[in-house]
Amino acid sequence: DGTLASDDKSVTSENLEAIKKLLDSGKHFALCTGRMTESAKMIVKNLPFKPLVATHNGCEIFDSSTGEVLVKHCLKPEILLKLIEYGKSQNAHYHIFDDEVVVEEIDGVTEFYCNICKVNPREVGDLYEYVKKTGATSPKFMLINMNGGLEKNIEDIKRLFGEEVEVMKCYEGMLDV
């Protein structure tokens, strides 16, 4: 966001020229983002070359020239269930990911997030019951708290999960777990 792609998800000519110089010098270029895979694919499709792409903060890596997924790490259902319980206890918005943003209900926060990333949401009702019933996994869990308190949320998640997860602020009011 703002480093490679512009607001319309295009790559500026200056960035394309810098990447071309890097490639011409014999070096490699990979795209790395916290965004979901579907969002990153929109940026890559307009590039004149097809790099490796790390998405979801490195939890998934795919070869954009073949579409092959090379690495995929997901949060297990039992971790997701605990994270959902935590999100509920904080009265925060939260969601998980597959090819879409998976939410309990599509609301203004969901629409805001999906508009930024240019991806689709999928409403599943009670997310806790959805994960419990389907055994869903996700490369990351996102907690959105626009009312402040993210530092406390980070501390809480680290205390509750230790080294089972990594947590980071990814955008104003948003945490990636």
Side-chain angles (χ1 to χ4, degrees):
D1 293 327
T3 55
L4 177 67
S6 57
D7 288 343
D8 68 358
K9 307 305 169 236
S10 65
V11 179
T12 65
S13 57
E14 295 86 2
N15 281 339
L16 285 173
E17 184 59 34
I19 295 166
K20 183 180 179 324
K21 285 181 184 177
L22 178 78
L23 295 171
D24 288 348
S25 74
K27 297 199 171 36
H28 299 281
F29 172 82
L31 176 64
C32 303
T33 181
R35 287 183 179 256
M36 60 189 286
T37 301
E38 292 307 308
S39 183
K41 284 179 179 177
M42 286 185 283
I43 296 168
V44 171
K45 76 178 180 182
N46 295 319
L47 294 177
F49 49 88
K50 299 300 173 205
L52 290 179
V53 182
T55 60
H56 296 289
N57 299 313
C59 290
E60 185 169 313
I61 300 172
F62 72 95
D63 183 337
S64 66
S65 66
T66 64
E68 179 185 6
V69 175
L70 305 172
V71 173
K72 186 166 186 167
H73 299 286
C74 287
L75 294 165
K76 296 175 184 168
E78 55 270 16
I79 297 291
L80 289 176
L81 292 173
K82 290 178 188 175
L83 286 164
I84 292 166
E85 286 177 334
Y86 176 75
K88 283 182 183 182
S89 77
Q90 299 300 299
N91 293 317
H93 180 93
Y94 48 86
H95 54 254
I96 62 174
F97 301 85
D98 53 24
D99 291 342
E100 298 173 305
V101 178
V102 182
V103 297
E104 290 187 343
E105 81 177 271
I106 298 170
D107 59 14
V109 175
T110 304
E111 290 172 351
F112 170 76
Y113 179 81
C114 290
N115 185 50
I116 289 172
C117 298
K118 308 292 186 238
V119 294
N120 295 318
R122 180 165 33 101
E123 188 175 272
V124 297
D126 187 320
L127 193 56
Y128 186 93
E129 289 302 318
Y130 171 79
V131 170
K132 190 174 172 183
K133 180 180 167 185
T134 65
T137 61
S138 178
K140 72 178 180 181
F141 174 89
M142 178 170 270
L143 181 80
I144 301 175
N145 184 352
M146 298 302 202
N147 299 321
L150 280 186
E151 294 307 318
K152 177 191 177 303
N153 296 142
I154 291 171
E155 291 171 19
D156 287 350
I157 291 169
K158 285 181 178 179
R159 181 179 43 77
L160 291 168
F161 294 94
E163 294 187 22
E164 288 183 283
V165 302
E166 293 180 5
V167 60
M168 66 197 73
K169 181 178 174 183
C170 60
Y171 198 75
E172 193 59 42
M174 299 179 186
L175 293 181
D176 281 348
V177 181

